[in-house]
Amino acid sequence: MVHPVVTTGDVSRLLDDLVERVPEARQAVALSPDGLLLACSKGVDHELAEQLSGVVAGLRALAVAVGQHADTGRVRQIVVQMGEVFLFIAATPGGAIIAAVFAAGSDMDAVAYEVALFAGRADRHLPAFPAPEETPVPAHRQAVAGGAHSG
């Protein structure tokens, strides 16, 4: 018997629980690190799910690139504040991405806690994604870091 890699029903139920349980939560999705939609909460139609997937994957890629360029460590979370909503993005321990939309009046400390708690709970229902290989530091950055100057 072949078992699915992702138990989307379980993850969808967990996303629904997050949206129903957390005040001001509107929608939530789970993605692979490269933006493949794994599951979504109720009320997220296919078009919105695809749009969120693309936006979230792009924002996460930008944040990871900034972290690598600035040598500041792993990206833990991303928060985008808009006029009427917050977009909160976090990774599970296994590497999947959780994104949730909350009303602008949300208590962001509570949101951060709830999304982190959710990421831990959902992780056992999601596949583990291999960590991306470390990007080698370009030679010109090594020279600057080592004190050498280029002509």
Side-chain angles (χ1 to χ4, degrees):
M1 177 178 208
V2 176
H3 296 284
V5 173
V6 178
T7 54
T8 56
D10 291 340
V11 178
S12 291
R13 280 190 293 279
L14 289 171
L15 291 167
D16 289 341
D17 179 60
L18 175 70
V19 170
E20 291 168 5
R21 190 173 38 81
V22 179
E24 307 296 331
R26 294 188 179 176
Q27 295 115 358
V29 295
L31 315 171
S32 68
D34 59 355
L36 177 67
L37 180 67
L38 301 175
C40 57
S41 64
K42 290 179 189 171
V44 178
D45 64 23
H46 180 73
E47 184 177 348
L48 177 58
E50 292 298 320
Q51 289 172 344
L52 276 173
S53 298
V55 168
V56 168
L59 287 170
R60 177 132 172 91
L62 286 170
V64 168
V66 168
Q68 289 174 340
H69 178 72
D71 197 24
T72 56
R74 188 173 133 288
V75 174
R76 297 178 193 272
Q77 57 187 316
I78 302 161
V79 180
V80 179
Q81 182 178 5
M82 294 166 269
E84 297 181 15
V85 297
F86 285 104
L87 173 61
F88 194 93
I89 304 166
T92 67
I97 301 169
I98 305 302
V101 177
F102 296 87
S106 300
D107 174 355
M108 289 313 292
D109 289 336
V111 167
Y113 172 78
E114 291 292 344
V115 173
L117 186 66
F118 173 82
R121 287 176 51 211
D123 196 49
R124 66 185 164 156
H125 299 283
L126 293 164
F129 296 96
E133 293 183 29
E134 289 294 317
T135 304
V137 177
H140 72 279
R141 285 197 60 213
Q142 287 177 350
V144 171
H149 300 287
S150 59

